[in-house]
């Protein structure tokens, strides 16, 4: 599409329709339609979503579906699955779906079917995982491994960390898994304090093998290993790399045999399905990892074939567009009511914000509409005692997904019933709110005087009409977690496709990296400067402050 999406007929119709819907309360939508839940409850690949608590009428849905069609969504979905170069600024396809394609379908990149490489890498992961878990592959002193340290950042960290934590009940108890991401020395120091070099396996996770944080942390890990009993000759037993840049990993000293490949047609934030998922496979076993892939594959097939009005990722995406572009929402909350899923908001922050935090179209023209929202969130019920106040009575519209399993892995007293009740009561309260009359009546019923009820009631009013989706599944199994993550990947894709932006590049993160190198150079040179230099006065002043720190303390 070359023109602005604002010129689409459906977009304009949605803008007009929004001015009506801004005065519609969900209470009324529910009152008018006793079947609203049944109408808007959808299910696929083990994921169930209640879409009914949204400020959306039948007309809203009809227009949103028209928008998807007018924006050419079906064609764009096919383009992704068939390996078209949809990442235009890097001239690459985005083929995370190939990593979980369990059909016989070939997928071509530059005329070559990538499926044999994908399957061969899964087999290599399977052999490696089996050797470590069966204790056949041991450390330099012949002891079995007890700890894995995954060193990586961004997509080489958040996805594996989320999935391995989400599946903690499936872990092999004999193997502990730790993640080191940050360049802050405190991170690796704290992790290394608790492990033994004889029984620790390091996974160097970097698609580019050029990420400063990961390489610096790997050097620290290698030196620690060498200083604590390891040797140059035994590094190969303890260090494994997962990268698309095999030569850089070899140059760094990793044995060729110990390198698991990935490919430039897999985006970092979509890479947990590749060998970057090794920490997941090592903790839950390769059968579990394959089940994770099969859950994602099932969601892929649903996404590819279901009509828009039954298609979970499409519906989730369309609602997001409705609120961002027509109802004035700036943010979107991810609220998992599951301790094991507490890492989901962080993973979705990268997935969504790095994908759709863009302000030019695929043709390089400035967009004249909002794109990706600010993603935030945290585990329920904890959030209810913190930021939910703003959701209920604040002035901003913040749509939210409440995510909850029907069964817990840990039935403790009536905890799960209480957790589940809290989740439902939040979405109910956000939808229906409390009117001034209700607040006043409630106070009077408690025996408060008329004057006092009059004074207090406005503070107790909850406007309601705050949209939520309730996302449920039976239990957090590898299959459902795979489907859940893929659901959000496709949601983000659909939004990017409709906004006509490239969801698969991330040039915005580069400037900070470039400037960081010059600042680092100045810090290491220990030369305070004044007057006109290559930095603005603020940055220069702060550099000087850092360089002068020895003088102060
Ligand atoms: O800086 C952003 C980023 O490039 C992410 O897109 C990526 O997931 C992360 O850094 C890590 O990159 P790599 O896997 O190449 O080390």
């Amino acid at each position: 599409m070359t023109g602005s999406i604002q010129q689409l007929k459906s977009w304009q119709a949605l803008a007009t329709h929004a001015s009506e819907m801004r005065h519609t309360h969900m209470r009324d939508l529910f009152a008018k339609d006793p079947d609203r839940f049944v109408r808007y409850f959808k299910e696929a690949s083990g994921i169930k979503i209640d879409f009914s608590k949204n400020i959306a009428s039948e007309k809203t849905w009809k227009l949103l579906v028209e928008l998807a069609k007018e924006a050419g969504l079906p064609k764009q979905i096919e383009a992704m699955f068939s390996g078209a170069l949809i990442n235009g600024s890097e001239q690459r396809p985005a083929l995370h779906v190939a990593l979980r394609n369990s059909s016989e379908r070939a997928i071509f990149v530059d005329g070559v079917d990538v499926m044999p490489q994908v399957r061969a890498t899964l087999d290599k992961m399977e052999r490696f995982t089996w050797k470590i878990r069966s204790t056949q592959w041991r450390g330099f002193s012949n002891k079995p491994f007890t700890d894995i340290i995954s060193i990586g950042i961004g997509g080489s960290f958040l996805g594996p960390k989320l999935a391995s934590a989400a599946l903690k009940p499936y872990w092999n108890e004999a193997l502990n898994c730790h993640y080191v991401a940050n360049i802050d020395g405190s991170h690796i120091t704290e992790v290394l304090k608790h492990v033994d070099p004889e029984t620790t396996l390091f996974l160097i996770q970097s698609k580019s093998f050029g990420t400063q944080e990961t390489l610096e942390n790997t050097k620290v890990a290698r030196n620690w290993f060498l200083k604590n009993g390891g040797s140059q000759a035994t590094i190969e037993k303890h260090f494994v790399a997962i990268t698309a840049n095999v030569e850089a990993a070899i140059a760094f000293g990793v044995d060729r045999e110990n390198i698991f490949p990935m490919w430039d047609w897999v985006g970092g934030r979509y890479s947990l399905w590749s060998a970057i998922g090794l920490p997941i496979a090592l903790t839950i076993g390769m059968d579990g990892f394959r089940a994770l892939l099969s859950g994602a594959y099932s969601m892929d097939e649903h996404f590819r074939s279901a009509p828009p009005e039954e298609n979970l990722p499409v519906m989730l995406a369309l609602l997001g567009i409705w609120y961002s572009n027509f109802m004035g929402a700036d943010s979107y909350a991810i609220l998992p009511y599951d301790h094991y899923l507490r890492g989901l908001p962080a993973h979705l922050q990268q997935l969504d914000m790095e994908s759709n935090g863009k302000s030019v179209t695929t043709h390089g023209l400035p967009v004249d509409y909002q794109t990706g929202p600010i993603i935030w969130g945290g585990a329920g019920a904890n959030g209810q005692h913190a930021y939910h106040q703003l959701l209920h009575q604040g002035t901003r519209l913040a749509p939210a997904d409440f995510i909850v399993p029907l069964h817990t892995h840990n039935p403790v007293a009536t905890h799960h019933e209480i957790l589940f009740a809290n989740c439902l009561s939040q979405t109910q309260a956000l939808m229906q709110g409390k009117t001034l009359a209700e607040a006043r009546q409630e106070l009077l019923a408690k025996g408060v005087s008329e004057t006092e009820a009059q004074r207090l009631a406005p503070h107790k009013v909850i406007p309601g009409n705050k949209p939520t989706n309730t996302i449920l599944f039976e239990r957090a199994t590898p299959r459902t977690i795979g489907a859940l993550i893929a659901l959000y990947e496709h949601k983000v894709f659909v939004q990017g496709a409709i906004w006509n932006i490239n969801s698969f590049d991330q040039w915005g993160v580069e400037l900070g990296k470039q400037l960081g190198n010059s600042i680092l150079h100045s810090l290491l040179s220990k030369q305070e400067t004044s007057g006109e230099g290559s930095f603005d006065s603020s940055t220069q002043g702060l550099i000087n402050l850092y360089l002068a720190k020895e003088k102060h303390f």
Side-chain angles (χ1 to χ4, degrees):
M1 197 168 61
T2 44
S4 166
I5 51 168
Q6 300 215 60
Q7 287 157 10
L8 297 178
K9 255 172 74 187
S10 51
W11 188 279
Q12 288 170 5
L14 279 162
T16 311
H17 175 63
S19 49
E20 295 155 26
M21 290 306 285
R22 269 183 226 120
H23 306 291
T24 302
H25 201 291
M26 274 188 272
R27 270 190 185 211
D28 301 323
L29 294 176
F30 273 93
K32 271 193 222 135
D33 179 5
D35 290 334
R36 192 168 166 83
F37 170 73
V38 180
R39 198 183 308 285
Y40 295 115
F41 179 80
K42 309 281 172 185
E43 204 168 342
S45 308
I47 304 290
K48 309 164 200 294
I49 309 186
D50 173 16
F51 289 108
S52 66
K53 290 192 183 98
N54 278 290
I55 315 168
S57 63
E58 270 192 66
K59 183 169 173 193
T60 319
W61 279 112
K62 193 173 149 282
L63 291 175
L64 286 169
V65 167
E66 272 171 31
L67 173 66
K69 289 183 185 157
E70 236 192 312
L73 181 65
K75 250 173 109 180
Q76 301 207 55
I77 294 176
E78 261 332 284
M80 175 172 73
F81 276 91
S82 58
L85 301 181
I86 57 173
N87 176 354
S89 73
E90 295 178 298
Q91 282 295 292
R92 291 174 186 166
L95 274 176
H96 40 288
V97 292
L99 301 171
R100 55 227 193 185
N101 168 27
S102 56
S103 74
E104 292 303 312
R105 198 168 60 88
I107 299 182
F108 294 95
V109 174
D110 292 333
V112 178
D113 178 10
V114 296
M115 288 315 301
Q117 310 166 52
V118 169
R119 291 189 196 106
T121 305
L122 282 171
D123 291 344
K124 181 169 170 145
M125 286 171 73
E126 178 133 37
R127 289 191 295 276
F128 178 71
T129 305
W130 182 81
K131 281 186 195 158
I132 299 289
R133 287 166 60 96
S134 68
T135 77
Q136 198 192 87
W137 179 321
R138 292 170 174 231
F140 65 83
S141 60
N142 206 30
K143 289 188 187 157
F145 287 108
T146 55
D147 294 272
I148 304 156
I149 299 183
S150 168
I151 304 178
I153 199 163
S156 299
F157 158 60
L158 292 163
K161 183 167 187 247
L162 160 67
S164 62
L167 298 168
K168 189 85 207 295
Y170 298 86
W171 281 29
N172 171 351
E173 290 298 328
L175 262 184
N176 210 348
C177 181
H178 318 261
Y179 289 88
V180 171
N182 208 337
I183 190 63
D184 182 338
S186 305
H187 196 173
I188 192 155
T189 304
E190 283 303 327
V191 171
L192 292 178
K193 261 185 204 170
H194 303 287
V195 294
D196 178 348
E198 291 179 52
T199 58
T200 299
L201 176 72
F202 291 94
L203 306 179
I204 315 166
Q205 308 247 63
S206 179
K207 175 180 168 183
S208 60
F209 219 86
T211 304
Q212 185 185 44
E213 292 89 339
T214 302
L215 297 186
E216 292 301 320
N217 276 323
T218 302
K219 285 184 206 159
V220 172
R222 187 173 55 186
N223 290 342
W224 172 85
F225 175 76
L226 293 174
K227 269 200 198 130
N228 291 282
S231 64
Q232 209 62 47
T234 53
I235 277 191
E236 64 177 40
K237 284 184 187 291
H238 290 257
F239 285 79
V240 162
I242 299 91
T243 185
N245 190 353
V246 174
E247 296 317 315
I250 293 172
F252 194 83
V254 184
D255 195 271
R256 187 180 282 276
E257 279 303 298
N258 288 0
I259 299 175
F260 289 80
M262 62 177 294
W263 306 277
D264 66 6
W265 41 263
V266 179
R269 50 197 175 272
Y270 301 86
S271 65
L272 73 100
W273 321 100
S274 71
I276 288 286
L278 257 185
I280 312 168
L282 285 164
T283 47
I284 67 169
M286 201 59 195
D287 286 350
F289 188 71
R290 287 189 191 273
L292 184 83
L293 297 181
S294 79
Y297 173 68
S298 161
M299 184 56 75
D300 294 344
E301 291 296 285
H302 164 74
F303 175 54
R304 212 176 165 195
S305 59
E309 53 281 5
E310 297 294 327
N311 194 311
L312 302 189
V314 173
M315 291 180 77
L316 214 48
L318 291 174
L319 281 172
I321 289 180
W322 172 235
Y323 295 122
S324 282
N325 298 106
F326 301 98
M327 301 292 270
D330 287 324
S331 79
Y332 197 96
I334 303 292
L335 308 172
Y337 276 62
D338 184 330
H339 177 71
Y340 293 123
L341 276 176
R342 63 198 180 282
L344 188 63
H347 175 64
L348 296 189
Q349 266 172 346
Q350 188 202 13
L351 176 67
D352 203 322
M353 294 169 82
E354 206 174 59
S355 297
N356 287 345
K358 307 287 162 64
S359 47
V360 294
T361 67
T362 50
H363 292 92
L365 299 169
V367 295
D368 51 2
Y369 41 86
Q370 294 291 350
T371 59
I374 296 158
I375 302 292
W376 63 281
N382 295 359
Q384 293 173 206
H385 301 273
Y387 40 75
H388 280 221
Q389 164 62 33
L390 183 144
L391 292 180
H392 290 291
Q393 284 190 313
T395 52
R396 294 173 191 278
L397 178 69
D401 287 349
F402 283 72
I403 302 156
V404 65
L406 292 172
H407 298 274
T408 173
H409 283 288
N410 300 293
V412 174
T414 53
H415 277 37
H416 195 61
E417 286 70 24
I418 298 172
L419 183 76
F420 201 82
N422 270 285
C423 177
L424 298 198
S425 70
Q426 287 298 306
T427 61
Q428 187 188 9
L430 286 164
M431 183 273 285
Q432 74 181 31
K434 187 186 283 183
T435 64
L436 185 63
E438 285 167 347
R440 202 178 135 269
Q441 206 45 51
E442 217 175 75
L443 287 161
L444 292 175
K446 280 186 190 152
V448 169
S449 73
E450 181 68 48
T451 332
E452 192 59 358
Q454 203 76 0
R455 188 180 75 79
L456 281 180
H459 298 277
K460 303 210 170 211
V461 169
I462 314 270
N465 214 25
K466 302 287 164 62
T468 61
N469 296 307
T470 308
I471 302 183
L472 310 101
F473 42 87
E474 290 291 325
R475 196 184 294 276
T477 62
R479 239 185 107 78
T480 49
I481 295 302
L484 182 72
I485 299 172
L487 166 80
Y488 279 104
E489 289 180 349
H490 296 319
K491 172 202 164 175
V492 168
F493 169 79
V494 170
Q495 294 189 330
I498 293 176
W499 286 324
N500 190 22
I501 54 177
N502 181 353
S503 299
F504 297 102
D505 60 11
Q506 57 283 320
W507 298 108
V509 300
E510 294 304 320
L511 177 61
K513 291 185 194 172
Q514 280 165 18
L515 298 180
N517 286 335
S518 331
I519 296 174
L520 178 64
H521 180 75
S522 293
L523 296 183
L524 295 177
S525 72
K526 301 200 188 305
Q527 293 293 309
E528 273 186 59
T529 52
S530 58
E532 275 188 26
S534 52
F535 301 110
D536 59 87
S537 65
S538 161
T539 309
Q540 186 65 63
L542 295 169
I543 291 172
N544 290 347
L545 188 80
Y546 188 87
L547 291 175
K549 67 180 178 174
E550 268 88 28
K551 289 186 210 150
H552 299 313
F553 299 104

